[in-house]
Amino acid sequence: MTRGCRIVLSIGLVLSVVASLLSVVQPRVLQNLVNGIAAGRSTLRAATLLTLLALGTAAVQGLQGYLVQRGAESIARGMRDRLVSRYLSRTVAAHDRANSADLLSRASVDVNVVKNMVSAGLIPIVGAIVMLVGISGFMILLDPILFLTILVAFLIGLAIVVSKGRSVRKMSLDLQTSLGSFAASVERLLAGIRTVKASGAEDSEREKVGVQSVHVWTEGVRLARLVSLIQPLVNLCLQGALLVVVILGAMRLSSGRMDVGELLAFLVYLFMLITPISTLSQSYAQLQMGFGALDRIMEVDGLDEEDFGLDASTGRRRGVSIEFSGVDFGYLEGEPVLRDCSFAIRPGEKVAIVGRSGSGKSTIVELIERFYEADRGEIFVGGRNVSSMPVSELRSHIALVSQETETLTGTVRDNLAPGTHAVSDDRMRTVLRQVGLCGPDGRLDLDLDTDLGQGGISLSGGQRQRLAWARLLLGDADILLLDEATSHLDPQTEAAIFALLNAHARGRHARGRHARGRTVVMVTHSETAAAIADRVLLISGGGVRKEGTHRQLLRESVEYRQLRAESRRSEESPISLEIA
C-alpha cells in the first residue's frame, strides 16, 4: 500500500468517525426540539442546529464514501500490479504446473473481492463501532433499563454473526476456487474452439463446462443461503427489542418516569442502532469473503521464482560458448529426459541438434534459457555457470524462435519489439520484407499497426514463424536458439531464411564491435539446417551419441542415416485418406 493510499484511507476513516458522531448527536437535539414545542418555547435554534447537523452528516458521508472507494481502488490496482509482477518473475516450470485461467481469476475476481472487503468491510466497521458506542452511551443516559433490553438483543445478534463467520470464509474460498476452475474450463474451450467445432464436440464440451458451472452455482447458493440468514436473524432480534421497548416505554411514560421527548429520542436511537449493527454483520461477512480471496492471492507467492538479480551489464560479447557438463534432467520425477549429457559449443559456432522425437533436443534449449533448472550437472554460457547468473542477464544475450511460436495479442509492432529496445519503422518494414511477409510486388502483407487478434489468431503458422524470425533479426543477441524454427515454412522460404541467418550470425548487418559471429543452436529435423551447420550433435539415450559435420555423420553413423532417410520419406510421402 502506497503512502498516498494510506493517507486517503486514513482521511476516509476519520470522516467515517465524524459522520457517526454527527449522526449520534441529532436525536438529542430532536429531544430538545420536541420538549421545546411541548413547553411552548422557541425552537428556532434547535431546528436550525438539527438542519445543519443533517446537512453536515450528508456532506461528510458523501466525501467519506468517495475517499474510501478511491483508496480501495488504489489497493486493488496495487494488488493487480503485484500479481502481474509475480507472474512475470515465476519460472516457466511453475507456470506449466499452474492453470493460467485460475491465475487470471486471482488477478481479477479475487482482487475485486478484496477491494470490496476494504470499502465495505474494514472502513465501515470503525464508523459502525463509534456510532454503536455513542448511541449506547446516550441510551444509557436516557433510560438504563430500556437499554438492557437492547443489549440482550445485540448480544444474541452478535453470537449469530460470529458463529456463522467462519463458515462464510470457508464457503467464500470454495466459491473463488470454483470460479477459477470454471474460468480454466472456458479458456480451454475458447483456446481449442477450432478443434472442438471440427470434431463436432460442441455437446460434450458444453457438458464439461456445464459441470464446472454447476459447481460455481452450488457454492454460490450455499454462500448466499448462509449470508441471507445472518441479516434476517439479526433484524429479528432488533424487532423483538423494539416491541419490548415500545411496551415498556409506554408504561414508563404513563407512570411519569419518562417524558415524550426522552421516549422519542430513545426510539430514534433504537432505529439508528439498526444501522451500525447491520453494518457490522455485513462487514463481518464481507471480511470473511475478502480473507478467503486474499488467501488465494497470497498462494501465488508459493510459486517458484526466477533469480533476476540486480541490473546487470548487457554489453554485447559476440561469440559466446555453451557447455553442458554431466547434466541430468526430467520433467517428471523418476523419468529422466537427459542423462549425463555433456557437450561444448564453441564461440560463434553454428550447431544443429538432431534426434528422434522425445530424445531431449528441445529440453536442451529450455535449459540454456533457464526455463527449467538441471537436476544435476552444470551448464555454462560464456564460461559462467548459468545457475549463478541472473536470468535477466542470461536472456539478454539470447534470442529464441520455436516451432510453436507464441504471438502476443496486439499489433505487428508489439510483436516485433516487445522488449525495451527501440527500432525504427523503416527497419521493421525492411525485415518484414526480408522474411517474406510481403506480396510479389513488395507490398507488406501486414502493416505495423495491424491488429493480429487474440494470440495472433489471424496469422497462419508460417506467418507466425516468419514474424518470430523478423523479431530475431531485429535483435542483437549473442546466442540464437532455433527450435524447429522453419517447421511451418516451405522449402523456398526456408532457404531464404537460412541465408538471412548466415548473414545475421556472421554479423554482416552489424558494424564495429559486432563484427564477430553469433553462436547458433538449431534443434531440427531439417536436412537443410543440418547441412549448413558447422557441427551436428546426434542426441540419443539422454545424451550426445555422435557428433561431427553432416557429411561425416552420414558416412559414420547408421542412426543418423536412418533419421535422414525417415525425414526424407516423411517429406516426400503423399497423404492418403481412406474413407469407409
Side-chain angles (χ1 to χ4, degrees), residues 115 389 394 575:
K115 181 191 75 174
M389 295 176 64
L394 173 67
I575 299 174

Side-chain angles (χ1 to χ4, degrees), residues 459-480:
L459 298 179
S460 67
Q463 286 177 315
R464 291 179 190 227
Q465 213 156 49
R466 281 179 282 175
L467 191 61
W469 272 100
R471 182 167 57 242
L472 178 145
L473 295 173
L474 285 170
D476 193 27
D478 302 309
I479 300 173
L480 310 181

Side-chain angles (χ1 to χ4, degrees), residues 189-209:
L189 169 65
L190 297 178
I193 192 66
R194 284 172 170 75
T195 302
V196 171
K197 288 184 174 294
S199 304
E202 290 92 341
D203 290 340
S204 63
E205 289 300 316
R206 186 181 296 110
E207 182 177 349
K208 290 177 182 177
V209 177

Side-chain angles (χ1 to χ4, degrees), residues 43-362:
T43 58
L44 178 60
R45 182 178 178 182
T48 302
L49 181 57
L50 185 62
T51 302
L52 291 176
L53 285 172
L55 293 176
T57 302
V60 171
Q61 287 176 338
L63 181 58
Q64 178 260 342
Y66 166 73
L67 291 176
V68 169
Q69 193 62 40
R70 176 170 176 167
E73 290 289 352
S74 298
I75 289 177
R77 176 189 172 186
M79 295 187 71
R80 285 190 293 267
D81 292 344
R82 179 178 179 274
L83 279 173
V84 171
S85 178
R86 289 288 189 272
Y87 293 164
L88 290 172
S89 66
R90 280 354 185 207
T91 64
V92 172
H95 280 288
D96 287 345
R97 293 191 298 268
N99 188 298
S100 58
D102 183 59
L103 294 180
L104 175 63
S105 177
R106 294 170 196 250
S108 54
V109 178
D110 291 348
V111 168
N112 194 58
V113 172
V114 174
K115 181 191 75 174
N116 291 336
M117 178 187 73
V118 174
S119 62
L122 285 174
I123 303 300
I125 280 182
V126 177
I129 291 175
V130 171
M131 180 176 285
L132 187 63
V133 171
I135 289 174
S136 300
F138 280 120
M139 293 178 82
I140 292 173
L141 290 175
L142 287 170
D143 197 307
I145 296 177
L146 291 182
F147 174 75
L148 287 176
T149 304
I150 303 300
L151 181 61
V152 171
F154 171 75
L155 293 176
I156 294 175
L158 180 63
I160 293 173
V161 172
V162 173
S163 65
K164 300 298 182 181
R166 292 181 179 178
S167 299
V168 170
R169 180 171 181 172
K170 182 180 182 304
M171 290 183 183
S172 176
L173 180 59
D174 292 341
L175 175 59
Q176 300 306 318
T177 302
S178 296
L179 284 170
S181 299
F182 174 74
S185 298
V186 174
E187 184 199 43
R188 171 183 171 276
L189 169 65
L190 297 178
I193 192 66
R194 284 172 170 75
T195 302
V196 171
K197 288 184 174 294
S199 304
E202 290 92 341
D203 290 340
S204 63
E205 289 300 316
R206 186 181 296 110
E207 182 177 349
K208 290 177 182 177
V209 177
V211 170
Q212 297 297 330
S213 179
V214 169
H215 287 164
V216 174
W217 178 84
T218 301
E219 297 299 337
V221 168
R222 287 179 62 213
L223 180 61
R225 185 186 300 123
L226 183 60
V227 172
S228 64
L229 282 175
I230 294 176
Q231 191 60 46
L233 289 175
V234 172
N235 289 341
L236 183 62
C237 294
L238 293 176
Q239 289 171 359
L242 174 63
L243 179 62
V244 173
V245 166
V246 169
I247 294 174
L248 290 178
M251 293 173 60
R252 294 174 71 78
L253 182 65
S254 62
S255 64
R257 297 179 181 177
M258 176 180 281
D259 58 39
V260 175
E262 289 175 335
L263 178 60
L264 181 59
F266 196 94
L267 290 174
V268 172
Y269 277 129
L270 179 59
F271 282 111
M272 288 180 63
L273 195 63
I274 296 175
T275 298
I277 292 178
S278 298
T279 298
L280 287 173
S281 62
Q282 292 172 1
S283 296
Y284 188 74
Q286 190 69 53
L287 284 174
Q288 298 307 310
M289 290 187 284
F291 285 135
L294 191 60
D295 288 342
R296 278 174 42 84
I297 292 173
M298 298 305 293
E299 286 175 1
V300 174
D301 290 335
L303 297 177
D304 296 334
E305 185 173 358
E306 291 181 325
D307 175 23
F308 282 91
L310 300 175
D311 292 339
S313 172
T314 58
R316 302 295 89 184
R317 301 179 298 162
R318 285 292 169 264
V320 177
S321 62
I322 301 172
E323 181 183 353
F324 275 48
S325 177
V327 172
D328 288 358
F329 176 78
Y331 294 99
L332 300 176
E333 187 175 355
E335 299 182 18
V337 177
L338 298 179
R339 291 184 292 272
D340 196 25
C341 181
S342 299
F343 62 85
I345 299 175
R346 294 181 293 273
E349 189 177 17
K350 189 187 299 104
V351 172
I353 299 178
V354 302
R356 299 187 184 281
S357 297
S359 61
K361 305 184 301 297
S362 296

Side-chain angles (χ1 to χ4, degrees), residues 424-482:
S424 69
D425 289 359
D426 289 342
R427 177 64 179 142
M428 288 185 187
R429 294 189 178 96
T430 298
V431 172
L432 288 175
R433 291 189 176 90
Q434 287 176 337
V435 299
L437 285 174
C438 60
D441 58 355
R443 298 184 60 184
L444 292 176
D445 297 335
L446 303 168
D447 186 70
L448 295 178
D449 293 316
T450 299
D451 189 347
L452 301 179
Q454 180 73 28
I457 191 66
S458 62
L459 298 179
S460 67
Q463 286 177 315
R464 291 179 190 227
Q465 213 156 49
R466 281 179 282 175
L467 191 61
W469 272 100
R471 182 167 57 242
L472 178 145
L473 295 173
L474 285 170
D476 193 27
D478 302 309
I479 300 173
L480 310 181
L481 300 181
L482 311 175

